[in-house]
Amino acid sequence: MLRMLQKRTSMIKLMVPRPRLHQTIAQTAIKEIPTIKHATISNSEKTVGRWFLGVSGMVFVAVGLGGVTRLTESGLSMVTWKLTGERMPRTQEDWVQEFTKYQQYPEYKLKNANMTVEEFKFIYLMEYIHRMWGRAIGGFFLVPAAYFWKKGYFCAKTKKSVLLLGTLIGLQGLMGWYMVKSGLENRFQDPNDVPRVSQYRLASHLAAAFVLYSLSLSQAMSKLFPAEPFVVKAKKAFNIKGLSHMTKGMVFLTAISGAFVAGLDAGLVYNSFPKMGDSWVPDDMWQFKPVQRNITENPTTVQFNHRILGITTVSLATALWLVTRRMQLPNRTKWAINAVFAMAWTQATLGVTTLLTYVPVPLATAHQSGSLVLLSFALWLSHEIRFLKYLPK
């Protein structure tokens, strides 16, 4: 009888986990849970990050100045270009000399034949400020970059980014003059022609500025507040990343389509919403031959495309917000999603208001700057979800 009791007691002991076994199981479970390591930021990285942020801020201002220059029709007032910059007219004689140069080109002959020297001063100053600000960006980038490079503040990856940004800044200046030259060419023969820069070159100039801004801002964020990993379920993780990148891409594409709207003055064609005149799809959308020309040269088609792209962007931002609003996400990620959602609707409202009020300069400038703000929030969101991890269901 006693032997049977001893056997049963031994079996019970085997079935009950020992303290060591408990400890082993707990350690294994802990190892399986992803740990978040907070990155430490050195003083040199903070300095470089602030510099990148300063570059992106100056590019942001340059885009705004470029928009005002375009809206006030000042971009063709300076008919020469020098790498080191043009000398600002100081005397009345200097102003008359610059005005005489301007009078030799199509914009004066076909559009501003009644312009006075005093009126010319305004448009000249607008273009002069825009050009000099661009050169200031070059100086603000080049001098600290040389210093930081010499001091060893850049890692190998950052060096590549710096070289790319420097190249883009230089090319952006050349692209700006290449764009202006298209409006100075003697290709406006008909009295009804409106002298303007090529919408293709304008879109390229704006796209290059957006790329430059995006790269410098992304570098600034990676240095000042590095992204941290977090974990969500597999299906939801796909929704976050996929929708985020799609939204960011649509923001960029919509902004570039806006350059075609500006280049063709397409915002003055159909000043109604949601319909274009009395119809949803205007009859004159495909009047150019060959048909593909309408996409980038027909003001009606260009405005229609911009509307569709804008609506698509707002829809994606809204879908992103709806998909993630009940998910357990880090606070910074939630803030970024909310910012994208709110700014997308704000930007759409600005666009419609600008259209309905026949493109006033203040509203149109706010609308163009708003596209860059929205892109900033989309870049911030992409930064926050960069190291997103997911667990299978």
Side-chain angles (χ1 to χ4, degrees):
M1 186 73 179
L2 288 172
R3 288 181 179 178
M4 290 178 64
L5 288 172
Q6 286 177 351
K7 286 182 179 180
R8 289 182 180 179
T9 304
S10 300
M11 290 175 65
I12 292 171
K13 286 181 179 181
L14 290 171
M15 292 174 64
V16 176
R18 297 180 182 180
R20 286 185 179 179
L21 182 59
H22 274 297
Q23 186 177 2
T24 305
I25 293 171
Q27 289 175 348
T28 304
I30 290 172
K31 287 179 181 178
E32 290 177 354
I33 298 174
T35 57
I36 296 174
K37 296 181 180 180
H38 297 278
T40 55
I41 308 172
S42 65
N43 291 331
S44 62
E45 285 182 325
K46 288 181 181 178
T47 303
V48 172
R50 294 189 189 102
W51 169 63
F52 277 125
L53 189 62
V55 172
S56 65
M58 292 189 74
V59 175
F60 186 99
V61 174
V63 172
L65 287 172
V68 174
T69 302
R70 175 71 189 91
L71 291 164
T72 56
E73 300 179 339
S74 306
L76 300 177
S77 57
M78 296 180 69
V79 297
T80 59
W81 185 84
K82 295 179 182 178
L83 180 62
T84 55
E86 297 78 6
R87 187 178 69 87
M88 178 74 180
R90 297 179 181 178
T91 65
Q92 187 65 15
E93 184 180 351
D94 292 339
W95 280 111
V96 171
Q97 185 177 357
E98 289 296 326
F99 187 49
T100 302
K101 293 179 184 177
Y102 175 69
Q103 289 175 318
Q104 300 172 14
Y105 290 89
E107 185 174 68
Y108 175 82
K109 295 177 181 179
L110 298 176
K111 187 177 179 181
N112 294 331
N114 297 322
M115 178 176 280
T116 64
V117 176
E118 294 304 315
E119 291 171 333
F120 171 73
K121 287 180 181 180
F122 172 76
I123 63 172
Y124 186 95
L125 282 172
M126 292 302 303
E127 175 66 7
Y128 183 82
I129 291 171
H130 181 53
R131 291 193 186 190
M132 294 310 294
W133 187 263
R135 291 183 174 93
I137 294 174
F140 184 82
F141 177 85
L142 186 60
V143 175
Y147 175 80
F148 294 150
W149 194 297
K150 185 178 180 181
K151 289 291 184 179
Y153 283 13
F154 297 149
C155 63
K157 186 177 179 181
T158 304
K159 285 181 179 180
K160 294 178 182 178
S161 298
V162 169
L163 290 173
L164 178 59
L165 286 170
T167 303
L168 284 173
I169 290 173
L171 291 176
Q172 182 69 336
L174 296 174
M175 175 58 72
W177 173 241
Y178 182 62
M179 176 190 69
V180 170
K181 277 187 68 176
S182 66
L184 300 175
E185 295 169 354
N186 192 23
R187 58 188 177 91
F188 309 98
Q189 304 297 334
D190 194 300
N192 295 321
D193 285 344
V194 179
R196 56 164 66 101
V197 299
S198 164
Q199 70 270 26
Y200 299 102
R201 299 184 191 183
L202 175 62
S204 300
H205 190 49
L206 183 66
F210 271 52
V211 171
L212 179 59
Y213 175 80
S214 300
L215 290 175
S216 55
L217 182 61
S218 297
Q219 284 292 320
M221 289 189 291
S222 67
K223 300 291 183 185
L224 296 176
F225 50 96
E228 296 178 347
F230 62 95
V231 179
V232 294
K233 290 183 180 180
K235 186 177 179 181
K236 293 182 178 179
F238 171 77
N239 286 339
I240 296 175
K241 281 197 169 184
L243 282 175
S244 297
H245 294 316
M246 285 177 65
T247 303
K248 179 176 64 176
M250 285 304 301
V251 170
F252 184 86
L253 188 59
T254 305
I256 303 310
S257 77
F260 284 92
V261 173
L264 294 171
D265 290 326
L268 299 173
V269 179
Y270 285 94
N271 298 93
S272 58
F273 191 87
K275 289 186 176 182
M276 298 180 71
D278 296 326
S279 60
W280 293 102
V281 181
D283 297 331
D284 57 341
M285 277 188 57
W286 308 109
Q287 63 180 356
F288 290 4
K289 302 297 179 184
V291 176
Q292 61 268 22
R293 282 184 54 208
N294 291 278
I295 298 173
T296 53
E297 296 181 16
N298 186 337
T300 300
T301 313
V302 166
Q303 190 194 117
F304 180 84
N305 291 340
H306 190 59
R307 290 184 183 216
I308 297 301
L309 290 171
I311 292 170
T312 305
T313 301
V314 172
S315 300
L316 287 172
T318 304
L320 176 64
W321 183 80
L322 290 173
V323 166
T324 59
R325 65 194 181 103
R326 292 184 179 178
M327 293 173 58
Q328 296 297 321
L329 300 173
N331 286 334
R332 281 191 348 204
T333 305
K334 287 183 177 179
W335 295 339
I337 292 171
N338 291 336
V340 170
F341 171 71
M343 191 60 212
W345 280 97
T346 302
Q347 177 68 350
T349 304
L350 275 173
V352 173
T353 306
T354 302
L355 180 70
L356 296 178
T357 53
Y358 294 87
V359 198
V361 173
L363 271 178
T365 303
H367 183 51
Q368 178 170 310
S369 300
S371 65
L372 208 49
V373 174
L374 178 55
L375 180 62
S376 303
F377 290 148
L379 289 168
W380 176 27
L381 176 57
S382 294
H383 170 73
E384 293 299 337
I385 64 172
R386 181 180 177 187
F387 299 116
L388 183 151
K389 305 291 182 183
Y390 60 90
L391 296 175
K393 285 186 173 182

